[in-house]
Amino acid sequence: MSGKTLTRMDLSEAVFREVGLSRNESADLVEAVLGHMSGALVSGEQVKISSFGTFSVRDKAARVGRNPKTGEEVPINPRRVLTFRPSHLMKDRVAAGNKR
């Protein structure tokens, strides 16, 4: 693996090159899309991107966990977690990329 991370800057640069907007407009567009996705997730909506996957928020109940080092039981508070489920097309693309 290359270890490279795709950043907001990389996304806005790709929009700049592919779409032809200015660099500032490209950065604003990426921020607007990410902000809209974040807002939808915060309000409990799913974000489904065709051929990519679905982001959703799950409520996890309180439970008792265990410290693996000491064996001591520790309460874990209820919380909301973000989940991502890739589409079948995305799974296939990733799997095909591993066969190089």
Side-chain angles (χ1 to χ4, degrees):
M1 273 187 119
S2 66
K4 172 127 172 57
T5 302
L6 183 67
T7 64
R8 289 175 189 228
M9 180 81 127
D10 297 332
L11 291 173
S12 63
E13 186 66 26
V15 171
F16 167 72
R17 279 186 272 113
E18 297 290 325
V19 179
L21 297 175
S22 73
R23 279 196 163 84
N24 285 340
E25 289 172 331
S26 298
D28 290 344
L29 177 63
V30 169
E31 287 300 320
V33 168
L34 293 175
H36 192 68
M37 288 173 62
S38 297
L41 290 165
V42 166
S43 67
E45 297 178 56
Q46 283 189 346
V47 175
K48 190 176 290 192
I49 302 173
S50 180
S51 300
F52 186 75
T54 303
F55 296 90
S56 59
V57 176
R58 250 184 56 202
D59 291 319
K60 294 188 92 172
R63 61 187 174 93
V64 176
R66 191 175 304 276
N67 181 333
K69 199 170 196 179
T70 65
E72 177 186 358
E73 289 188 350
V74 180
I76 299 174
N77 296 327
R79 64 195 189 280
R80 294 176 64 178
V81 294
L82 178 65
T83 62
F84 173 71
R85 181 151 188 227
S87 71
H88 292 293
L89 290 172
M90 179 58 70
K91 286 180 185 179
D92 293 344
R93 288 182 68 185
V94 170
N98 290 339
K99 295 179 183 175
R100 291 182 194 175

